Amino acid sequence: MPRGPAPAAHPPTRRRHRRGTLLALTTGLSLLAALTGPAAEAAPPTPVSAATARTYLARLTVAPEGSSAGYSRSKFPHWSTVSGTCNTREVVLERDGTDVVQNAACAAVSGTWTSAYDGAVWTAASDLDIDHVVPLSEAWRSGADGWTTSARKGFANDLVRPQLIAVTDNVNQAKGDKDPAEWLPPSASYHCVYARMWVQVKEHYALDVDPAEKSALADLLDSC
């Protein structure tokens, strides 16, 4: 999958314009890969290794966090229809659960889910949120404000990268739009995986990191 150009090579305005152009071209390919890829396991896609994540982190652009001005969740359309009556949320619920049964509308009516963020086990889909590992508003402040709506839609529904995960709803709500310098999953055993997920997503989409965020991620990856 093509990635954005090396951010440091261009001033911010031009860099973000190129990000939007490239991401718009790859949105359809990402959704196609999700539909035609191998059978999903009960977990998000495995993130890159800690060593690879450290390499990715070193080449991300470090910049002060941008403004939330103009941000709206509606600018990241989700959940997209993936196949038939199944949208991205239902695909993630089926993927991340065990013995999931779906009705004719593709809604999960039974199953078991273990939330990786806190270790809680649930048997009702209503107790779960689908977390955007890199939150939508965090992405907006890190460069997605310059993307096309099509590119933002691809980001918000990305089933190829480790960007979506079914977790306990109130844990996800406590996270909000915080980055790893401000919030980490309650389960310390998941911190390494979470940092690897975060860095892989930011690297793929050529999103910036702020200084505190980079420092926190470096510490997490060094402890893997």
Side-chain angles (χ1 to χ4, degrees), residues 109-154:
V109 294
S110 66
T112 302
W113 293 267
T114 300
S115 169
Y117 284 3
D118 59 338
V121 178
W122 304 101
T123 57
S126 58
D127 289 319
L128 298 149
D129 280 352
I130 307 304
D131 181 41
H132 290 96
V133 172
V134 176
L136 304 182
S137 57
E138 161 69 23
W140 177 270
R141 298 190 301 270
S142 303
D145 59 330
W147 297 353
T148 64
T149 299
S150 176
R152 289 192 289 264
K153 179 179 180 181

Short mmCIF file of all heavy atoms in Angstrom, two decimals, residues 109-154:
data_model
loop_
_atom_site.label_atom_id
_atom_site.label_comp_id
_atom_site.label_asym_id
_atom_site.label_seq_id
_atom_site.Cartn_x
_atom_site.Cartn_y
_atom_site.Cartn_z
N VAL A 109 -26.06 -10.40 17.36
CA VAL A 109 -27.10 -10.66 18.35
C VAL A 109 -26.59 -11.53 19.49
O VAL A 109 -27.24 -11.64 20.54
CB VAL A 109 -28.33 -11.33 17.69
CG1 VAL A 109 -28.99 -10.35 16.73
CG2 VAL A 109 -27.95 -12.62 16.97
N SER A 110 -25.45 -12.16 19.31
CA SER A 110 -24.83 -12.91 20.40
C SER A 110 -23.36 -13.11 20.09
O SER A 110 -22.91 -12.93 18.96
CB SER A 110 -25.52 -14.27 20.61
OG SER A 110 -25.32 -15.11 19.49
N GLY A 111 -22.62 -13.47 21.12
CA GLY A 111 -21.19 -13.67 20.98
C GLY A 111 -20.49 -13.32 22.27
O GLY A 111 -21.13 -12.93 23.26
N THR A 112 -19.19 -13.44 22.27
CA THR A 112 -18.38 -13.08 23.43
C THR A 112 -17.22 -12.22 22.96
O THR A 112 -16.57 -12.54 21.97
CB THR A 112 -17.82 -14.34 24.14
OG1 THR A 112 -18.90 -15.18 24.52
CG2 THR A 112 -17.01 -13.96 25.37
N TRP A 113 -16.99 -11.13 23.68
CA TRP A 113 -15.91 -10.21 23.33
C TRP A 113 -15.05 -9.94 24.56
O TRP A 113 -15.58 -9.67 25.64
CB TRP A 113 -16.47 -8.88 22.83
CG TRP A 113 -17.19 -8.96 21.52
CD1 TRP A 113 -16.68 -8.76 20.28
CD2 TRP A 113 -18.58 -9.27 21.33
NE1 TRP A 113 -17.65 -8.92 19.33
CE2 TRP A 113 -18.83 -9.24 19.94
CE3 TRP A 113 -19.63 -9.57 22.20
CZ2 TRP A 113 -20.08 -9.49 19.39
CZ3 TRP A 113 -20.88 -9.83 21.67
CH2 TRP A 113 -21.11 -9.79 20.28
N THR A 114 -13.75 -10.00 24.40
CA THR A 114 -12.81 -9.61 25.45
C THR A 114 -12.15 -8.31 25.03
O THR A 114 -11.48 -8.24 23.99
CB THR A 114 -11.74 -10.69 25.67
OG1 THR A 114 -12.38 -11.91 26.06
CG2 THR A 114 -10.78 -10.26 26.78
N SER A 115 -12.36 -7.27 25.81
CA SER A 115 -11.80 -5.96 25.50
C SER A 115 -10.32 -5.93 25.86
O SER A 115 -9.94 -6.04 27.02
CB SER A 115 -12.55 -4.88 26.29
OG SER A 115 -11.88 -3.63 26.22
N ALA A 116 -9.47 -5.77 24.86
CA ALA A 116 -8.02 -5.79 25.09
C ALA A 116 -7.57 -4.62 25.95
O ALA A 116 -6.54 -4.72 26.63
CB ALA A 116 -7.29 -5.75 23.75
N TYR A 117 -8.31 -3.54 25.95
CA TYR A 117 -7.89 -2.36 26.72
C TYR A 117 -7.98 -2.58 28.23
O TYR A 117 -7.20 -2.02 28.98
CB TYR A 117 -8.75 -1.16 26.35
CG TYR A 117 -8.42 -0.52 25.02
CD1 TYR A 117 -7.45 -1.03 24.17
CD2 TYR A 117 -9.11 0.62 24.59
CE1 TYR A 117 -7.16 -0.45 22.95
CE2 TYR A 117 -8.83 1.22 23.38
CZ TYR A 117 -7.85 0.69 22.56
OH TYR A 117 -7.57 1.28 21.35
N ASP A 118 -8.97 -3.38 28.68
CA ASP A 118 -9.17 -3.53 30.12
C ASP A 118 -9.41 -4.97 30.57
O ASP A 118 -9.58 -5.23 31.76
CB ASP A 118 -10.34 -2.67 30.59
CG ASP A 118 -11.65 -3.01 29.90
OD1 ASP A 118 -11.61 -3.61 28.81
OD2 ASP A 118 -12.72 -2.71 30.45
N GLY A 119 -9.44 -5.91 29.63
CA GLY A 119 -9.63 -7.31 29.98
C GLY A 119 -11.05 -7.71 30.30
O GLY A 119 -11.30 -8.87 30.64
N ALA A 120 -12.00 -6.79 30.18
CA ALA A 120 -13.39 -7.11 30.48
C ALA A 120 -13.98 -8.01 29.40
O ALA A 120 -13.64 -7.89 28.22
CB ALA A 120 -14.22 -5.83 30.60
N VAL A 121 -14.88 -8.90 29.82
CA VAL A 121 -15.53 -9.82 28.91
C VAL A 121 -17.01 -9.45 28.80
O VAL A 121 -17.68 -9.23 29.82
CB VAL A 121 -15.39 -11.28 29.39
CG1 VAL A 121 -16.13 -12.23 28.44
CG2 VAL A 121 -13.91 -11.67 29.48
N TRP A 122 -17.51 -9.38 27.57
CA TRP A 122 -18.88 -8.95 27.33
C TRP A 122 -19.60 -9.95 26.43
O TRP A 122 -18.98 -10.59 25.59
CB TRP A 122 -18.90 -7.56 26.67
CG TRP A 122 -18.16 -6.53 27.46
CD1 TRP A 122 -16.91 -6.05 27.25
CD2 TRP A 122 -18.65 -5.86 28.63
NE1 TRP A 122 -16.57 -5.13 28.20
CE2 TRP A 122 -17.62 -4.99 29.07
CE3 TRP A 122 -19.84 -5.91 29.35
CZ2 TRP A 122 -17.75 -4.18 30.19
CZ3 TRP A 122 -19.97 -5.09 30.47
CH2 TRP A 122 -18.93 -4.25 30.88
N THR A 123 -20.91 -10.04 26.62
CA THR A 123 -21.72 -10.92 25.78
C THR A 123 -22.82 -10.15 25.05
O THR A 123 -23.66 -10.76 24.39
CB THR A 123 -22.36 -12.05 26.62
OG1 THR A 123 -23.13 -11.47 27.67
CG2 THR A 123 -21.28 -12.96 27.20
N ALA A 124 -22.80 -8.84 25.15
CA ALA A 124 -23.75 -7.99 24.43
C ALA A 124 -22.98 -6.96 23.62
O ALA A 124 -22.13 -6.24 24.17
CB ALA A 124 -24.70 -7.30 25.40
N ALA A 125 -23.26 -6.89 22.33
CA ALA A 125 -22.54 -5.96 21.47
C ALA A 125 -22.76 -4.51 21.89
O ALA A 125 -21.89 -3.66 21.65
CB ALA A 125 -22.98 -6.15 20.02
N SER A 126 -23.86 -4.23 22.55
CA SER A 126 -24.15 -2.87 22.98
C SER A 126 -23.18 -2.37 24.05
O SER A 126 -23.11 -1.16 24.31
CB SER A 126 -25.59 -2.78 23.53
OG SER A 126 -25.77 -3.67 24.60
N ASP A 127 -22.42 -3.27 24.66
CA ASP A 127 -21.44 -2.88 25.67
C ASP A 127 -20.10 -2.52 25.06
O ASP A 127 -19.15 -2.20 25.79
CB ASP A 127 -21.23 -4.02 26.67
CG ASP A 127 -22.42 -4.22 27.59
OD1 ASP A 127 -23.00 -3.21 28.04
OD2 ASP A 127 -22.79 -5.38 27.85
N LEU A 128 -20.03 -2.55 23.73
CA LEU A 128 -18.76 -2.32 23.04
C LEU A 128 -18.83 -1.11 22.13
O LEU A 128 -19.85 -0.85 21.49
CB LEU A 128 -18.38 -3.55 22.22
CG LEU A 128 -18.16 -4.82 23.03
CD1 LEU A 128 -18.53 -6.04 22.22
CD2 LEU A 128 -16.71 -4.90 23.48
N ASP A 129 -17.74 -0.38 22.09
CA ASP A 129 -17.52 0.67 21.10
C ASP A 129 -16.45 0.17 20.14
O ASP A 129 -15.59 -0.64 20.51
CB ASP A 129 -17.03 1.96 21.74
CG ASP A 129 -18.13 2.79 22.37
OD1 ASP A 129 -19.31 2.43 22.20
OD2 ASP A 129 -17.79 3.78 23.06
N ILE A 130 -16.46 0.70 18.93
CA ILE A 130 -15.36 0.47 18.01
C ILE A 130 -14.44 1.68 18.11
O ILE A 130 -14.81 2.79 17.71
CB ILE A 130 -15.84 0.27 16.56
CG1 ILE A 130 -16.91 -0.83 16.49
CG2 ILE A 130 -14.64 -0.06 15.66
CD1 ILE A 130 -16.49 -2.16 17.05
N ASP A 131 -13.30 1.47 18.72
CA ASP A 131 -12.35 2.57 18.92
C ASP A 131 -11.52 2.82 17.68
O ASP A 131 -11.02 1.87 17.06
CB ASP A 131 -11.42 2.25 20.09
CG ASP A 131 -10.43 3.38 20.36
OD1 ASP A 131 -10.84 4.55 20.30
OD2 ASP A 131 -9.25 3.08 20.63
N HIS A 132 -11.38 4.09 17.32
CA HIS A 132 -10.36 4.49 16.36
C HIS A 132 -9.08 4.66 17.17
O HIS A 132 -8.99 5.57 18.01
CB HIS A 132 -10.72 5.81 15.68
CG HIS A 132 -11.88 5.69 14.73
ND1 HIS A 132 -13.18 5.99 15.09
CD2 HIS A 132 -11.93 5.30 13.43
CE1 HIS A 132 -13.97 5.78 14.05
NE2 HIS A 132 -13.24 5.37 13.03
N VAL A 133 -8.11 3.78 16.98
CA VAL A 133 -6.89 3.82 17.78
C VAL A 133 -6.28 5.21 17.75
O VAL A 133 -5.99 5.81 18.80
CB VAL A 133 -5.89 2.74 17.29
CG1 VAL A 133 -4.54 2.90 18.00
CG2 VAL A 133 -6.46 1.36 17.57
N VAL A 134 -6.07 5.75 16.58
CA VAL A 134 -5.75 7.18 16.44
C VAL A 134 -7.08 7.90 16.27
O VAL A 134 -7.74 7.75 15.22
CB VAL A 134 -4.82 7.45 15.26
CG1 VAL A 134 -4.60 8.97 15.09
CG2 VAL A 134 -3.48 6.74 15.44
N PRO A 135 -7.55 8.62 17.29
CA PRO A 135 -8.88 9.23 17.22
C PRO A 135 -9.03 10.19 16.03
O PRO A 135 -8.05 10.76 15.54
CB PRO A 135 -8.97 10.00 18.55
CG PRO A 135 -8.01 9.30 19.46
CD PRO A 135 -6.88 8.88 18.58
N LEU A 136 -10.26 10.34 15.60
CA LEU A 136 -10.52 11.18 14.44
C LEU A 136 -10.08 12.63 14.67
O LEU A 136 -9.46 13.24 13.80
CB LEU A 136 -12.02 11.13 14.09
CG LEU A 136 -12.60 9.73 13.84
CD1 LEU A 136 -14.07 9.83 13.46
CD2 LEU A 136 -11.80 8.99 12.76
N SER A 137 -10.40 13.17 15.83
CA SER A 137 -10.01 14.56 16.07
C SER A 137 -8.50 14.71 16.25
O SER A 137 -7.93 15.74 15.89
CB SER A 137 -10.74 15.12 17.30
OG SER A 137 -10.50 14.34 18.44
N GLU A 138 -7.85 13.68 16.79
CA GLU A 138 -6.39 13.68 16.89
C GLU A 138 -5.79 13.68 15.48
O GLU A 138 -4.82 14.40 15.21
CB GLU A 138 -5.91 12.46 17.68
CG GLU A 138 -4.45 12.09 17.48
CD GLU A 138 -3.47 13.08 18.07
OE1 GLU A 138 -3.84 13.84 18.98
OE2 GLU A 138 -2.30 13.09 17.61
N ALA A 139 -6.35 12.89 14.59
CA ALA A 139 -5.88 12.88 13.21
C ALA A 139 -6.07 14.25 12.56
O ALA A 139 -5.19 14.74 11.85
CB ALA A 139 -6.62 11.81 12.41
N TRP A 140 -7.22 14.87 12.83
CA TRP A 140 -7.50 16.20 12.28
C TRP A 140 -6.42 17.19 12.69
O TRP A 140 -5.89 17.95 11.87
CB TRP A 140 -8.86 16.67 12.77
CG TRP A 140 -9.26 18.05 12.34
CD1 TRP A 140 -9.00 19.24 12.99
CD2 TRP A 140 -9.99 18.42 11.15
NE1 TRP A 140 -9.51 20.30 12.29
CE2 TRP A 140 -10.13 19.83 11.16
CE3 TRP A 140 -10.54 17.68 10.10
CZ2 TRP A 140 -10.81 20.50 10.16
CZ3 TRP A 140 -11.21 18.36 9.09
CH2 TRP A 140 -11.34 19.75 9.12
N ARG A 141 -6.04 17.14 13.98
CA ARG A 141 -5.04 18.08 14.50
C ARG A 141 -3.62 17.71 14.08
O ARG A 141 -2.70 18.51 14.27
CB ARG A 141 -5.11 18.12 16.03
CG ARG A 141 -6.45 18.60 16.58
CD ARG A 141 -6.38 18.87 18.08
NE ARG A 141 -6.01 17.69 18.85
CZ ARG A 141 -6.87 16.81 19.35
NH1 ARG A 141 -8.18 16.96 19.12
NH2 ARG A 141 -6.44 15.78 20.06
N SER A 142 -3.47 16.52 13.49
CA SER A 142 -2.14 16.05 13.09
C SER A 142 -1.92 16.07 11.58
O SER A 142 -0.90 15.57 11.11
CB SER A 142 -1.94 14.62 13.60
OG SER A 142 -2.10 14.54 14.99
N GLY A 143 -2.88 16.60 10.84
CA GLY A 143 -2.71 16.71 9.40
C GLY A 143 -3.91 16.36 8.56
O GLY A 143 -3.98 16.72 7.39
N ALA A 144 -4.90 15.65 9.15
CA ALA A 144 -6.05 15.23 8.35
C ALA A 144 -6.98 16.38 8.00
O ALA A 144 -7.88 16.22 7.17
CB ALA A 144 -6.85 14.14 9.10
N ASP A 145 -6.76 17.54 8.63
CA ASP A 145 -7.56 18.71 8.25
C ASP A 145 -7.32 19.10 6.80
O ASP A 145 -8.15 19.77 6.18
CB ASP A 145 -7.27 19.89 9.18
CG ASP A 145 -5.80 20.31 9.16
OD1 ASP A 145 -4.92 19.44 8.94
OD2 ASP A 145 -5.51 21.50 9.36
N GLY A 146 -6.19 18.67 6.24
CA GLY A 146 -5.89 18.99 4.85
C GLY A 146 -6.25 17.90 3.86
O GLY A 146 -5.99 18.05 2.67
N TRP A 147 -6.87 16.82 4.35
CA TRP A 147 -7.26 15.73 3.46
C TRP A 147 -8.60 15.99 2.80
O TRP A 147 -9.39 16.83 3.24
CB TRP A 147 -7.40 14.43 4.24
CG TRP A 147 -6.16 13.91 4.88
CD1 TRP A 147 -4.89 14.38 4.76
CD2 TRP A 147 -6.11 12.79 5.78
NE1 TRP A 147 -4.03 13.62 5.53
CE2 TRP A 147 -4.75 12.65 6.16
CE3 TRP A 147 -7.06 11.91 6.29
CZ2 TRP A 147 -4.33 11.64 7.04
CZ3 TRP A 147 -6.65 10.91 7.16
CH2 TRP A 147 -5.29 10.78 7.53
N THR A 148 -8.88 15.21 1.76
CA THR A 148 -10.21 15.21 1.17
C THR A 148 -11.16 14.41 2.07
O THR A 148 -10.72 13.60 2.90
CB THR A 148 -10.20 14.55 -0.22
OG1 THR A 148 -9.84 13.17 -0.07
CG2 THR A 148 -9.20 15.25 -1.15
N THR A 149 -12.46 14.61 1.89
CA THR A 149 -13.44 13.84 2.65
C THR A 149 -13.29 12.36 2.33
O THR A 149 -13.43 11.50 3.21
CB THR A 149 -14.86 14.31 2.34
OG1 THR A 149 -14.99 15.69 2.71
CG2 THR A 149 -15.89 13.49 3.10
N SER A 150 -13.00 12.02 1.09
CA SER A 150 -12.81 10.64 0.71
C SER A 150 -11.65 10.00 1.47
O SER A 150 -11.74 8.85 1.93
CB SER A 150 -12.56 10.54 -0.80
OG SER A 150 -12.29 9.21 -1.19
N ALA A 151 -10.56 10.73 1.62
CA ALA A 151 -9.41 10.22 2.36
C ALA A 151 -9.75 10.03 3.83
O ALA A 151 -9.36 9.04 4.45
CB ALA A 151 -8.22 11.16 2.20
N ARG A 152 -10.48 10.99 4.40
CA ARG A 152 -10.87 10.87 5.81
C ARG A 152 -11.82 9.69 6.00
O ARG A 152 -11.78 9.01 7.03
CB ARG A 152 -11.48 12.18 6.30
CG ARG A 152 -10.46 13.30 6.45
CD ARG A 152 -11.01 14.49 7.21
NE ARG A 152 -11.99 15.23 6.46
CZ ARG A 152 -11.72 16.32 5.74
NH1 ARG A 152 -10.47 16.79 5.69
NH2 ARG A 152 -12.67 16.94 5.09
N LYS A 153 -12.68 9.43 5.04
CA LYS A 153 -13.58 8.27 5.12
C LYS A 153 -12.76 6.98 5.13
O LYS A 153 -13.06 6.05 5.91
CB LYS A 153 -14.54 8.29 3.92
CG LYS A 153 -15.51 7.10 3.90
CD LYS A 153 -16.45 7.20 2.70
CE LYS A 153 -17.44 6.04 2.66
NZ LYS A 153 -18.34 6.14 1.48
N GLY A 154 -11.75 6.90 4.30
CA GLY A 154 -10.90 5.72 4.28
C GLY A 154 -10.20 5.50 5.61
O GLY A 154 -10.12 4.37 6.11
#
